Amino acid sequence: MTDATPPPEQPSTPSQPLPVYIHPRREPFEHGLVPLQKLIFTDGSQTLTSLRDKLLQFPPINNRHNRVNSAVVSESLQISPEHARLVLDIIASVLHSDSDPLVTAKPDEVDAVGVNVYDLIIFLYIQSYKRLLPRGHKDSAAVADVWPSTSAFDGFLSALTPLQLVRSNSRRSMPSQADEEAHQLSYLQKHLGNIISLLADSVEGEDSLVLTMEKFEHLGYLIYFGEKGMEKTPLSQNAPFFANSDPDMPAAPVPASQVHDWLLQNISDALERISERAAAKENGQTSASDQDVLMTDACANLKASTSAKGPSFIEGISKQSYVKQAPELKGSFVKVVNCHESVIYVLAPLRYATIYGCSDATIVLGAVGKAVRIEHCERVHVISAAKRICVANCRECIFFLGVNQQPLIVGDNHKLQVAPYNTFYPQLEEHMQEVGIETSPNRWGEPVALGLIDPHDSLSHPAGVSDCQAESATRLDPDQFTNFLIPNWLEGQASGSTKDNPFPLPDVYLSCQRRNENNLVEVKQILKEAPLEESRKKELSSALHVYFKDWLYASGNIRQLYCLQGE
């Protein structure tokens, strides 16, 4: 009897790398849409092709080809110079390349470097994108085409306050991050052919289009490849027809149809993966590696969470103080959602921040280097040092700002106020330097109001309302201006060089502040020297406590006392 022949030894093979999927960049869809009708082109690529050709004929800017300044944008799009500059500022805040001259330019250098024509064209193309509706909304069918014809408020919803509008759709019905990603991918799937054609070159003597590697990289404005913990690589390095190209010998142009087919297949794979993960979650089979925190499915007492690829969430805080500092945040994109009657401190350098559906809260954002968006909030005080800020559909809110660009006010707003920045913490200037925020100019008092109706929302509204201008914000009365003190104990062992507010106060606010401080000293001295009997002193003390309590509630400063409560 012979021994059985052992099976052949299998050669050892390295573990297979995990598949890398395509994703839409959230930034241009969340922070890069402008509610200006003249920027919206609904005929696909037809008008934009002519516009592209016209823009490419302008002479170079300081030897930089294919770039145009705000004057050219104003003339070509027939918009005001102010709106043209706004377009360049918004593109700079969402560009995929931090090394682009527009991103690195100081405010007075923007027109000297201009915007790349192809980035501008992609920006204009996606202005017709419609945001995802809450699940279960009566207009949900309109979203099926990705470009629904409806717009922002109908008779029922227009009677609601912004927060009632949010609350009328339960938190569970709001779009999850996965839903929004699928919606954006579906949009790109439908319109990718037109977008590629706007980047492509025609072949002389042939009825075909080709795409160079340089122009292919402009698609990085909209998409990227990568997963959690992976470093983002140039878009072309993930494309088989451009990967491993010799920098000294650029790759040959590729047929646009080949690029289109390859991207469509990747988008289809990504959509299938999102669908599979959603089905697994419904069946309770979600793995730890597949966690994608839902914006609306989190429990009310969930304080903070981080999705695999997306932003950190601070959600559902009620009647307490809550602190997040830089070491505790994974990533540089934060969303503060559905927080009420609380004080929220996010003392960190950030790229983007969103505040959504909050009420009766004070929210302190450290330094936000790209953009802040505040939406559907009521009676909220926001304190932030930021490059730019956009406020949409808010009521009775006050914004204390150190901001390098004009605050943008859009949608159905009422009784908004703006004021100079009014606080500091030890690492503030370090965080500002890290994300590129300057102390000057501070344009807190120059809000720009655009349309009452946001054409990127997918809700219906009465005819004619879209022509109305949004209610702007007024400046806070200097007599009402006070400094906001961040408790030292929140900093723990952290240290920093900032000892005072780095943003200089305007003279009128500074003089009022000094007058109030002097008045306080005088009143304290008068009370100290008043010849009162003990019983009268107690009466006075009691009266002062009553008035102080009334002031705490009237001013909203009662929220700061939550810091004294135990967690």
Side-chain angles (χ1 to χ4, degrees):
M1 184 176 178
T2 61
D3 294 334
T5 305
E9 186 177 40
Q10 296 295 324
S12 60
T13 58
S15 59
Q16 293 296 319
L18 294 173
V20 178
Y21 289 92
I22 196 170
H23 301 281
R25 288 185 68 240
R26 303 182 194 275
E27 294 90 334
F29 295 107
E30 295 186 12
H31 296 275
L33 303 177
V34 190
L36 285 174
Q37 289 293 337
K38 287 189 176 180
L39 301 184
I40 298 176
F41 300 89
T42 56
D43 61 350
S45 59
Q46 183 176 344
T47 302
L48 288 175
T49 299
S50 300
L51 178 64
R52 176 203 63 189
D53 295 341
K54 177 182 177 181
L55 293 172
L56 289 173
Q57 292 175 5
F58 283 91
I61 299 178
N62 295 328
N63 295 321
R64 291 186 173 97
H65 292 270
N66 301 339
R67 301 186 80 89
V68 292
N69 59 25
S70 61
V72 171
V73 173
S74 173
E75 175 191 339
S76 302
L77 296 176
Q78 298 183 342
I79 59 178
S80 70
E82 294 76 18
H83 287 167
R85 177 56 187 264
L86 175 65
V87 166
L88 266 63
D89 288 340
I90 291 177
I91 293 175
S93 72
V94 297
L95 267 177
H96 54 297
S97 172
D98 286 339
S99 62
D100 189 280
L102 184 61
V103 177
T104 59
K106 295 186 180 298
D108 59 353
E109 299 171 344
V110 168
D111 280 324
V113 299
V115 62
N116 184 281
V117 169
Y118 294 100
D119 291 332
L120 174 61
I121 291 297
I122 294 177
F123 163 84
L124 291 172
Y125 191 98
I126 68 167
Q127 293 306 304
S128 291
Y129 172 79
K130 298 282 189 178
R131 295 188 183 94
L132 182 61
L133 278 173
R135 286 173 287 178
H137 191 277
K138 60 189 178 70
D139 279 348
S140 292
V143 185
D145 189 38
V146 183
W147 265 19
S149 59
T150 54
S151 49
F153 290 100
D154 59 22
F156 166 68
L157 292 172
S158 64
L160 300 178
T161 69
L163 199 58
Q164 286 172 330
L165 175 60
V166 175
R167 288 172 175 170
S168 67
N169 302 294
S170 71
R171 296 173 66 215
R172 185 166 296 276
S173 73
M174 291 173 63
S176 70
Q177 292 293 295
D179 288 342
E180 287 185 336
E181 180 167 331
H183 183 64
Q184 292 159 7
L185 282 172
S186 297
Y187 170 85
L188 294 173
Q189 187 178 47
K190 179 175 181 178
H191 298 285
L192 194 58
N194 286 337
I195 295 172
I196 289 175
S197 73
L198 290 167
L199 299 175
D201 298 312
S202 57
V203 179
E204 188 175 350
E206 299 182 23
D207 187 21
S208 61
L209 297 173
V210 295
L211 202 64
T212 64
M213 185 171 74
E214 178 186 2
K215 291 178 182 174
F216 176 76
E217 287 289 359
H218 287 285
L219 289 172
Y221 186 90
L222 299 173
I223 55 177
Y224 72 95
F225 286 84
E227 298 300 324
K228 180 181 180 182
M230 293 181 59
E231 183 178 347
K232 289 185 182 179
T233 57
L235 193 60
S236 58
Q237 294 304 304
N238 292 282
F241 32 81
F242 289 132
N244 302 318
S245 297
D246 186 346
D248 298 324
M249 187 178 295
V254 174
S257 59
Q258 181 182 349
V259 176
H260 187 211
D261 291 344
W262 179 75
L263 286 174
L264 284 181
Q265 182 59 54
N266 276 276
I267 290 175
S268 178
D269 292 344
L271 286 170
E272 182 178 354
R273 182 201 188 202
I274 292 172
S275 178
E276 290 174 351
R277 293 172 68 187
K281 288 175 184 176
E282 289 180 5
N283 296 329
Q285 300 173 357
T286 309
S287 66
S289 61
D290 273 347
Q291 289 295 332
D292 188 359
V293 177
L294 300 185
M295 179 174 174
T296 57
D297 290 348
C299 299
N301 61 358
L302 177 64
K303 290 188 176 180
S305 52
T306 307
S307 72
K309 307 176 292 295
S312 296
F313 283 89
I314 297 171
E315 186 172 8
I317 307 298
S318 179
K319 293 188 177 181
Q320 57 184 295
S321 64
Y322 185 73
V323 187
K324 272 290 179 181
Q325 299 186 74
E328 303 171 278
L329 293 172
K330 299 178 181 178
S332 55
F333 194 155
V334 167
K335 288 192 174 184
V336 182
V337 182
N338 291 321
C339 295
H340 310 285
E341 300 183 73
S342 298
V343 182
I344 312 293
Y345 302 88
V346 186
L347 308 181
L350 305 169
R351 288 172 65 85
Y352 299 93
T354 298
I355 300 173
Y356 188 96
C358 298
S359 69
D360 301 291
T362 296
I363 300 169
V364 183
L365 299 175
V368 186
K370 293 294 186 179
V372 177
R373 183 174 177 87
I374 303 163
E375 194 170 3
H376 294 302
C377 292
E378 288 186 355
R379 298 177 302 281
V380 168
H381 292 185
V382 176
I383 305 171
S384 180
K387 183 66 67 69
R388 60 178 294 262
I389 184 171
C390 177
V391 180
N393 306 312
C394 293
R395 294 189 179 218
E396 301 177 44
C397 296
I398 305 178
F399 307 98
F400 298 88
L401 303 175
V403 62
N404 294 152
Q405 297 173 16
Q406 293 175 273
L408 186 60
I409 312 294
V410 302
D412 187 17
N413 300 284
H414 296 283
K415 298 182 180 180
L416 303 184
Q417 296 182 83
V418 290
Y421 192 76
N422 68 339
T423 194
F424 71 93
Y425 59 95
Q427 298 81 33
L428 175 58
E429 289 170 296
E430 176 186 331
H431 291 169
M432 288 171 56
Q433 184 176 5
E434 183 175 336
V435 299
I437 298 172
E438 306 285 344
T439 57
S440 180
N442 183 2
R443 308 189 70 180
W444 66 271
E446 307 171 43
V448 176
L450 297 183
L452 177 65
I453 297 304
D454 188 344
H456 307 108
D457 285 330
S458 300
L459 307 175
S460 57
H461 68 92
V465 178
S466 59
D467 297 328
C468 299
Q469 184 174 336
E471 179 183 318
S472 190
T474 60
R475 295 189 179 194
L476 181 71
D477 185 335
D479 283 327
Q480 302 298 317
F481 179 83
T482 58
N483 288 325
F484 182 87
L485 180 63
I486 297 176
N488 290 334
W489 55 263
L490 292 183
E491 294 301 316
Q493 300 300 316
S495 61
S497 60
T498 304
K499 308 298 183 185
D500 201 355
N501 183 350
F503 294 92
L505 283 180
D507 289 342
V508 63
Y509 285 87
L510 185 59
S511 61
C512 282
Q513 186 180 63
R514 287 174 176 170
R515 186 176 66 246
N516 291 336
E517 290 173 352
N518 291 335
N519 290 341
L520 177 60
V521 172
E522 291 177 9
V523 169
K524 289 172 68 176
Q525 188 65 26
I526 290 172
L527 292 176
K528 183 178 180 180
E529 297 175 354
L532 297 177
E533 297 178 358
E534 195 63 32
S535 60
R536 299 289 289 175
K537 286 184 178 180
K538 289 182 179 180
E539 289 179 17
L540 178 60
S541 176
S542 177
L544 288 174
H545 278 291
V546 169
Y547 282 117
F548 179 64
K549 185 177 180 181
D550 290 343
W551 174 81
L552 282 175
Y553 280 99
S555 64
N557 287 305
I558 187 67
R559 303 165 196 163
Q560 296 186 46
L561 298 186
Y562 293 132
C563 294
L564 305 178
Q565 296 179 351
E567 294 294 336

